Amino acid sequence: MTQSERKTLGIVAAPHHLAAQVGAEILRDGGNAFDAAVSVALAIGVVQPYHSGIGGGCNITFRTTNGETSHINARGPAPHRLERKLLLHQDGTPNDRLATMGGMASTIPSFVAGLSMLHEGRGQLPWRDLLMAPRRIALEGFPADFMLANVYHSYNSAEKLTRYAGQSPLGQPIVEGQQILQPQMAATLDAIAQNPRTVYEGEIGERLVAAIRQSGGVLSMDDLSNYRPEVTQLHNVSYGDWHILAPGLPTIGSLQTLLSLRILDQHDLSQISPGSIAHFHLIAEAVRATYAARAQVESNEDAAKILDVIYAQKLAADINLNGVTPSIFHQLDGRKQNVGEETCTSHFCVADDQGNIVSQTQTVRSYFGSGVIDSETGIVLNDSVGDFSLRPGEVTTQGIRYQGNYNLVGPGAEPASSQCPLIAIHPESGDVIAAGGAGGPRIVSATLQALVNQISFGMDPRFAAIFPRVHSHGPVTDVEPNSGAAGRLSTLGHQVRALPALGIMQTIRRRGDLWEGGADPRGPGSAVVVQQEGSQITLRGYGQSTIL
């Protein structure tokens, strides 16, 4: 059978190979991209519970078969009893520990509500069928990968798990290859398969409230029962010949990525060699400029101005191509840039042969979130309160400053997010790219470079995912040890620091009838194509990348 007689039913790129497999099986069995997204999202929560899951939230960008595009904001607001004073020391200074550990650190778990909204009216398979594979993995177990084995010893994971995880097996040191069984999570998924509202109005919700209250939090059943995700419109920004679609607030990282693209669009990247000092310098300065812009935000109106074309042109003109740009530095604060070096959060992309595409980012924020793991449900509760400013103008726990009262913690408020699940469309060819990343502030730079590598430098998704990256959201410029020329940025005045990985990115691309996918080798991810030849349907997985 020739290539032209071969039909692609869909593609999945996910940060864990088991989750990618689950999504591909849904596509094989007649599900569409929305069905697959639900299964992939829940499977990631099982195999990478330190990154995301039922106790967290998500942002979903999607495109339907008829070309409609939209965004589901299931970020998750603060409980209505979370007063700012509860997160301050007696002298009025921020208590970062309370914002990142224990029950006070958790926003409303919004993850399942977001998935349910995505599936309703769009999915083809019954909701309960989509939870069976994640449930099976939880019940039968899976071997711990290198990341799961390592995260217990990373940052402050051990401390918060020791204090708040109780008897959960996830609260104990894990060895690579160890079989991980989660019978409580299997039972939880079974209950959610029957009724997703059990997380908000039933027994699971009651368990989560109890776990958070016992750990010092203020979540209530009213918070859960009254919560609903929000459907919002996407911003559309041109980059070269492409239209880049990304959500708006509270995902301010999306606006930054769009601003970065507009800055770069003012420079002729065709004259720059990928992997050169000039390449990494321009990326670092563009990203740093957007964090300086983010630092000046005082209101939602200010945030919207980030996308002003004239503003982007001014920032582009200010960038010094021969050295660091001093005008940016005074607007940034490096005191906490070392905080949050984890590659937390999860992103995946999925598409089907009907034209449906989902680009989804989900998180419990830092490794194992707040450290609170409910012993009866196996759910890891998030610590997204740490993304708020705890007093006006205060730097967040991830080293990001806002002006005035913007992003200030308070009852019902939603914290600003660096997440950036995007979809790019070439209006003439119909080619499509979906991309997004994980890694706190490094989501912006990872997602940006996913697009630049493919659109400006002509890389396929596999190479775009593998290619070394650079990042800066403060005075320091982060590079990866294998980044070659990026390591020599000090010759241009950069304060260079080498980190093992700058985020984890996933991307897929349709080029004509050709589907390509790239899963970031910095994690245990995989991309899988579902392919039909005659009456035979096969799953073609390529480890950390897929090209068909």
Side-chain angles (χ1 to χ4, degrees):
M1 180 171 288
T2 66
Q3 178 76 23
S4 61
E5 296 173 302
R6 186 181 298 160
K7 182 180 180 181
T8 298
L9 301 182
I11 186 171
V12 182
H16 195 283
H17 58 92
L18 289 177
Q21 181 78 11
V22 163
E25 289 172 355
I26 291 292
L27 294 170
R28 178 197 64 192
D29 296 340
N32 63 15
F34 303 114
D35 298 314
V38 172
S39 289
V40 172
L42 289 164
I44 292 171
V46 172
V47 296
Q48 294 186 312
Y50 52 89
H51 273 174
S52 62
I54 295 169
C58 59
N59 277 285
I60 311 170
T61 298
F62 61 91
R63 183 175 188 246
T64 65
T65 184
N66 61 8
E68 294 180 3
T69 58
S70 196
H71 164 244
I72 294 176
N73 170 27
R75 168 68 163 150
H80 282 80
R81 296 179 185 175
L82 187 64
E83 300 287 346
R84 186 167 63 89
K85 63 184 179 181
L86 298 176
L87 295 161
L88 301 176
H89 292 292
Q90 289 186 348
D91 63 359
T93 57
N95 189 333
D96 286 350
R97 287 178 63 84
L98 282 181
T100 55
M101 293 187 188
M104 199 73 76
S106 293
T107 57
I108 296 172
S110 50
F111 181 70
V112 172
L115 295 182
S116 179
M117 178 175 282
L118 177 70
H119 179 260
E120 187 174 357
R122 301 182 186 90
Q124 293 180 171
L125 299 181
W127 168 266
R128 63 169 290 105
D129 292 358
L130 308 178
L131 280 75
M132 293 302 99
R135 176 187 178 276
R136 183 183 67 250
I137 295 172
L139 187 62
E140 298 177 358
F142 63 96
D145 59 78
F146 66 93
M147 288 190 70
L148 180 54
N150 290 340
V151 292
Y152 183 90
H153 304 286
S154 300
Y155 197 35
N156 59 359
S157 297
E159 179 185 358
K160 61 186 176 184
L161 289 172
T162 299
R163 294 184 63 183
Y164 299 110
Q167 299 303 310
S168 169
L170 297 176
Q172 310 300 320
I174 292 171
V175 178
E176 185 174 358
Q178 175 183 340
Q179 192 74 357
I180 305 298
L181 301 172
Q182 299 178 75
Q184 294 86 357
M185 177 54 65
T188 294
L189 290 169
D190 201 27
I192 294 174
Q194 301 296 327
N195 178 17
R197 291 301 300 173
T198 185
V199 178
Y200 304 94
E201 298 170 351
E203 185 176 352
I204 291 178
E206 292 172 355
R207 283 298 313 165
L208 296 183
V209 169
I212 287 178
R213 290 294 187 89
Q214 291 168 7
S215 303
V218 293
L219 184 73
S220 70
M221 284 303 297
D222 284 343
D223 288 319
L224 294 178
S225 62
N226 291 329
Y227 175 71
R228 295 293 187 279
E230 179 186 14
V231 177
T232 69
Q233 296 301 307
L234 296 170
H235 291 279
N236 186 338
V237 166
S238 295
Y239 177 65
D241 296 329
W242 290 74
H243 291 171
I244 315 299
L245 306 174
L249 301 177
T251 55
I252 195 169
S254 293
L255 301 184
Q256 279 185 266
T257 304
L258 296 178
L259 175 58
S260 298
L261 289 167
R262 276 194 160 154
I263 292 172
L264 294 175
D265 214 18
Q266 303 300 311
H267 296 273
D268 188 0
L269 270 66
S270 67
Q271 301 301 310
I272 297 177
S273 299
S276 65
I277 292 180
H279 164 209
F280 289 122
H281 171 68
L282 184 56
I283 294 291
E285 292 300 280
V287 171
R288 184 160 29 215
T290 70
Y291 272 102
R294 182 168 170 172
Q296 301 306 304
V297 170
E298 294 187 51
S299 65
N300 287 350
E301 290 72 23
D302 283 347
K305 292 178 183 177
I306 289 178
L307 294 184
D308 182 77
V309 175
I310 303 300
Y311 182 53
Q313 291 173 344
K314 178 183 181 304
L315 292 178
D318 287 346
I319 289 178
N320 180 4
L321 297 179
N322 299 309
V324 295
T325 309
S327 62
I328 296 175
F329 278 82
H330 76 279
Q331 303 175 61
L332 294 167
D333 192 311
R335 286 179 295 163
K336 296 180 182 177
Q337 191 178 349
N338 292 338
V339 177
E341 293 177 8
E342 310 146 319
T343 52
C344 295
T345 303
S346 308
H347 183 87
F348 69 88
C349 307
V350 59
D352 61 35
D353 62 339
Q354 302 172 39
N356 299 307
I357 303 170
V358 177
S359 182
Q360 178 165 327
T361 311
Q362 56 191 55
T363 192
V364 291
R365 191 178 174 271
S366 59
Y367 282 150
F368 288 109
S370 63
V372 178
I373 304 179
D374 176 49
S375 59
E376 291 194 21
T377 63
I379 294 174
V380 178
L381 278 305
N382 72 82
D383 70 330
S384 294
V385 169
D387 282 334
F388 282 111
S389 301
L390 301 187
R391 64 178 178 179
E394 183 66 35
V395 178
T396 71
T397 60
Q398 287 190 331
I400 301 172
R401 182 190 294 281
Y402 304 92
Q403 298 300 313
N405 293 329
Y406 187 76
N407 195 45
L408 196 62
V409 65
E414 281 189 306
S417 170
S418 295
Q419 294 179 27
C420 186
L422 58 78
I423 296 173
I425 301 170
H426 195 289
E428 294 184 6
S429 68
D431 291 359
V432 177
I433 297 173
R442 297 168 183 87
I443 292 173
V444 173
S445 53
T447 307
L448 170 68
Q449 289 168 92
L451 287 184
V452 171
N453 288 348
Q454 293 180 76
I455 294 175
S456 297
F457 294 136
M459 299 181 194
D460 63 48
R462 176 193 61 85
F463 197 39
I466 292 173
F467 204 79
R469 293 196 281 266
V470 65
H471 171 84
S472 180
H473 68 279
V476 174
T477 300
D478 294 328
V479 302
E480 295 177 331
N482 65 338
S483 55
R488 301 196 298 275
L489 285 173
S490 58
T491 61
L492 298 182
H494 290 262
Q495 301 175 41
V496 176
R497 174 180 60 173
L499 291 177
L502 299 179
I504 294 181
M505 178 270 288
Q506 317 298 328
T507 185
I508 59 176
R509 179 170 183 173
R510 185 181 70 203
R511 197 193 311 261
D513 294 329
L514 179 72
W515 279 102
E516 305 166 293
D520 203 318
R522 296 162 184 82
S526 177
V528 181
V529 161
V530 184
Q531 187 179 85
Q532 182 174 11
E533 298 184 32
S535 61
Q536 184 176 6
I537 298 176
T538 58
L539 308 184
R540 301 186 61 183
Y542 294 81
Q544 293 161 338
S545 65
T546 300
I547 298 182
L548 174 61

